[in-house]
Amino acid sequence: MRCLVTGAAGFIGSHLTRRLGVEGHEVSAVDCFRPTYDLATKRENLAWAADGGQVTSFETDLSRDGLEDLLHGVDVVFHLAGRPGVRDSWGDALAPYLQDNVLATERVLAAADGAAVAKVVLASSSSVYGEARRYPCRESDLPRPHSPYGVTKLAAEHLAGAHARNGGPALVVLRFFSVYGPRQRPDMGLARLFDAAATGAPFPLYGDGSQLRDLTAVDDVVEALCRAAEVALPAGTVLNVAGGRPVSLAELIERVGEMSGRPITVEQHPPQRGDVTRTEGAIDCIRDRLGWAPATSLSDGLAAMAAWHADR
């Protein structure tokens, strides 16, 4: 299978790219290396690809550069690229989110249409649900984004649906819930928590710690991506990818402290605009459609993340 992975140097993208390469698929790994965090870290995420094999890396800005040559002969596009982060998406800062999450998605979808790509798997986010009216959130629930970032992810979903309804490639949208694991972005909560455990620096806690997050291990997310590419589904299918058991930030702080052998010092901050009090996704649909369920326990997932941080 010939695959194109966008956002290949990112957290989830680098894990997916490696698995596809190891399995012998021919992979074009695309990233624009925006400095949303340390570029050396991003390049390190794909450094192994330079050893040869089936993975070829391309530095490409999806919102500006030509995409036709990249997509020639590609069977499946995994579109993971995008600008992350809820708190930084307000006001004038929205412009790059529109560029990277909406315009870039439209250009990828249009190029996939023109190249007769068989399938596009689009990475979306639980942020489209916002402060939900009920939990766990189901794919049929009306999305109510709680931040401009969530709005841009929902807009990308709608663009993908429009292409699917107008004869574009078979399309699957996967809504990820609080993905964690080795190589997690350094600005994300668990990465910061492990850094605090290692350095003794205070952990910035926004709110009172009662917020619930439906943590999903990155290896489980990669398994869902691969199954979405392989299984025939109705065009425009939307599926939650969730861990199955929400956990409070307070519990995570305690567990990481126990793993590190010392309690985490907490630096209290007010809740931030755009943050939600709870994420929790129903996984009945993805279990029925893809035979997928989370396979990584929270204990094992945290241990893998701790081991990765210890080696850095």
Side-chain angles (χ1 to χ4, degrees):
M1 182 169 67
R2 294 190 64 184
C3 309
L4 185 144
V5 179
T6 71
F11 167 38
I12 302 170
S14 61
H15 283 272
L16 173 64
T17 300
R18 181 149 202 159
R19 170 161 168 179
L20 292 171
V22 167
E23 290 182 350
H25 300 293
E26 186 176 345
V27 185
S28 295
V30 175
D31 208 289
C32 69
F33 295 96
R34 292 211 194 287
T36 49
Y37 58 94
D38 182 45
L39 286 179
T41 299
K42 289 188 175 184
R43 296 190 186 282
E44 182 183 335
N45 287 347
L46 274 187
W48 58 270
D51 295 336
Q54 298 293 308
V55 178
T56 306
S57 299
F58 298 91
E59 188 163 343
T60 302
D61 185 338
L62 299 174
S63 68
R64 302 177 188 274
D65 296 339
L67 306 179
E68 290 77 12
D69 290 345
L70 282 174
L71 284 159
H72 180 72
V74 166
D75 301 305
V76 178
V77 173
F78 296 92
H79 183 41
L80 277 63
R83 185 172 290 263
V86 166
R87 297 169 185 161
D88 295 333
S89 62
W90 300 87
D92 292 343
L94 177 60
Y97 284 83
L98 293 171
Q99 174 181 319
D100 292 344
N101 296 351
V102 181
L103 176 59
T105 297
E106 167 57 23
R107 295 188 80 243
V108 168
L109 292 167
D113 288 353
V117 169
K119 180 174 278 190
V120 174
V121 182
L122 174 68
S124 189
S125 166
S126 62
S127 293
V128 303
Y129 291 113
E131 292 283 17
R133 297 184 184 277
R134 64 172 182 173
Y135 294 95
C137 299
R138 299 188 177 277
E139 293 86 347
S140 56
D141 291 344
L142 178 67
R144 300 169 65 241
H146 199 55
S147 67
Y149 165 75
V151 171
T152 64
K153 296 303 287 184
L154 183 58
E157 286 192 16
H158 285 311
L159 283 171
H163 278 267
R165 290 188 292 274
N166 281 275
L171 172 83
V172 182
V173 175
L174 300 183
R175 290 175 175 166
F176 299 154
F177 281 72
S178 302
V179 185
Y180 75 104
R183 299 202 292 275
Q184 189 187 54
R185 290 195 335 265
D187 61 297
M188 296 180 74
L190 266 173
R192 288 186 174 188
L193 192 52
F194 277 103
D195 284 343
T199 64
F203 172 71
L205 175 63
Y206 298 93
D208 62 6
S210 64
Q211 306 97 306
L212 294 171
R213 294 293 179 263
D214 197 344
L215 296 180
T216 317
V218 67
D219 286 346
D220 291 339
V221 170
V222 168
E223 178 65 22
L225 284 160
C226 292
R227 292 193 188 198
E230 295 164 358
V231 177
L233 295 168
T237 296
V238 177
L239 299 171
N240 290 336
V241 183
R245 187 182 82 83
V247 59
S248 72
L249 295 186
E251 180 182 340
L252 288 173
I253 292 169
E254 182 178 356
R255 291 182 71 154
V256 173
E258 290 173 352
M259 294 173 71
S260 67
R262 62 181 176 186
I264 305 294
T265 301
V266 172
E267 185 178 82
Q268 200 81 33
H269 295 274
Q272 297 293 289
R273 186 169 58 160
D275 287 352
V276 297
T277 56
R278 180 175 179 178
T279 66
E280 183 181 0
I283 57 174
D284 311 69
C285 287
I286 192 169
R287 183 184 288 113
D288 292 345
R289 298 291 184 89
L290 299 182
W292 179 94
T296 307
S297 69
L298 181 59
S299 294
D300 288 346
L302 291 176
M305 197 167 178
W308 182 80
H309 276 264
D311 287 342
R312 293 189 60 75

